[in-house]
Amino acid sequence: MPRLQGVPDVSSPTTTRPRSAVRAAGLAVAAVLAAVGGLVAAPAAQAADNPYERGPVPTVALLEASRGPFATASQSVSSLSVTGFGGGVIYYPTSTSEGTFGAIAISPGYTAAWSSISWLGPRIASHGFVVIGIETNSRLDQPDSRGRQLLAALDYLVQRSSVRSRIDGTRLAVAGHSMGGGGSLEAAVSRPSLQATVPLAPWNLDKSWTDVRVPTLIIGGESDTVAPVSSHSEPFYSSIPASSEKAYLELNGASHFFPQTVNTPTARQMVAWLKRFVDNDTRYEQFLCPGPSGLAIEEYRNTCPSA
């Protein structure tokens, strides 16, 4: 066994050393071993401190992969079996070995179906979330209606869905594209107990969101002509109080429709945000502060999470 640096060597015959020296050496060895043991036990202690931590240690490669560490399955939800929204699709991790999961409801935009942004469902679920991508009651529904429908979908997930036993009903979030993104802000105001909201290229006639207390990540497109960031995403972000956790990500050259195709910067930041605030997983703070950079990113602002 190699000798520990700074610890007396007690392997020599004790007859050549005073008993007090031997005792002191033994105490020193015990202290070092206890310190080493503490270091080894640290990950377990960290996991015990956060019972919602799910999945392996995060990396950029993990967040940018087409799928996360959890295998997923999906099931359709008929509009005839629900009230308050138009049905949709549920995506969920197939394993329950790590316990229950947080859940998120996501709304498509004006005139669009869930299929327009459905890639987000399995992508997010594979990182340890239950996701319901909703169909709206009418494809012409405005943001306030979409906000109510997102909350109705969450209530259905927690109270009546076949996957309700997999969900922790205290850890819920909403998101949406365009008017669905505007709807996610409406939902956040109506239900401040939500853990996170992620508006994507959000559209809303209301420009002031001083009542939002839910941690909010807004993702906009630099070249959006439907909901220009200068009159939507940016004033939405600026109006949210500085005391609330918030971030603004603007994608370089992106149009209003960037969520309708697989978009890695969006997925990476969205998952990191949900992990940090729905799962309270501080391992993901490294991806929020200082945040993403590179050719795909036009701008990023944030408050940096408070532990």
Side-chain angles (χ1 to χ4, degrees):
M1 177 178 178
R3 180 177 172 181
L4 296 174
Q5 289 293 325
V7 178
D9 186 353
V10 297
S11 61
S12 57
T14 58
T15 55
T16 63
R17 309 177 67 191
R19 183 176 298 175
S20 59
V22 173
R23 184 181 297 112
L27 291 173
V29 170
V32 171
L33 291 178
V36 172
L39 291 174
V40 172
Q46 181 182 11
D49 290 341
N50 178 19
Y52 309 131
E53 188 175 289
R54 302 288 183 266
V57 174
T59 63
V60 171
L62 181 68
L63 286 173
E64 294 188 346
S66 61
R67 288 291 183 273
F70 291 88
T72 65
S74 64
Q75 60 181 245
S76 297
V77 178
S78 169
S79 61
L80 301 177
S81 65
V82 299
T83 57
F85 67 107
V89 183
I90 298 173
Y91 307 84
Y92 58 95
T94 56
S95 172
T96 58
S97 63
E98 294 192 44
T100 56
F101 300 98
I104 179 171
I106 309 176
S107 169
Y110 188 67
T111 75
W114 166 245
S115 59
S116 66
I117 55 172
S118 60
W119 68 275
L120 286 168
R123 181 85 169 239
I124 295 171
S126 69
H127 285 274
F129 298 97
V130 176
V131 180
I132 182 166
I134 72 169
E135 302 290 0
T136 49
N137 291 324
S138 162
R139 294 196 179 183
L140 304 181
D141 288 334
Q142 298 297 298
D144 59 342
S145 174
R146 290 171 192 266
R148 291 192 296 271
Q149 292 178 60
L150 285 168
L151 297 179
L154 287 179
D155 292 341
Y156 167 77
L157 269 185
V158 172
Q159 299 168 11
R160 296 180 49 217
S161 76
S162 62
V163 298
R164 61 188 180 277
S165 63
R166 299 172 184 263
I167 300 170
D168 179 348
T170 67
R171 298 189 292 121
L172 305 176
V174 291
H177 175 221
S178 192
M179 284 195 183
S184 71
L185 289 167
E186 302 273 1
V189 171
S190 297
R191 190 174 294 182
S193 62
L194 292 173
Q195 301 297 295
T197 180
V198 186
L200 306 173
W203 188 100
N204 201 305
L205 291 176
D206 189 346
K207 309 303 179 185
S208 179
W209 297 96
T210 57
D211 293 336
V212 170
R213 298 295 181 268
V214 177
T216 302
L217 166 65
I218 297 176
I219 305 180
E222 179 191 19
S223 300
D224 189 337
T225 58
V226 176
V229 294
S230 61
S231 56
H232 289 77
S233 293
E234 290 186 288
F236 296 171
Y237 172 81
S238 297
S239 69
I240 297 172
S243 58
S244 300
E245 299 289 2
K246 61 179 181 175
Y248 171 66
L249 172 62
E250 186 175 314
L251 301 177
N252 185 29
S255 77
H256 184 67
F257 303 101
F258 70 83
Q260 295 188 350
T261 55
V262 175
N263 187 285
T264 297
T266 294
R268 169 181 163 171
Q269 212 62 19
M270 191 171 182
V271 168
W273 194 261
L274 296 173
K275 281 290 193 177
R276 174 59 184 85
F277 292 107
V278 176
D279 287 355
N280 196 33
D281 194 336
T282 55
R283 298 179 301 172
Y284 286 81
E285 284 189 3
Q286 61 182 303
F287 306 107
L288 307 182
C289 185
S293 60
L295 295 178
I297 310 303
E298 174 64 22
E299 182 184 358
Y300 181 75
R301 306 179 219 165
N302 74 332
T303 54
C304 285
S306 298

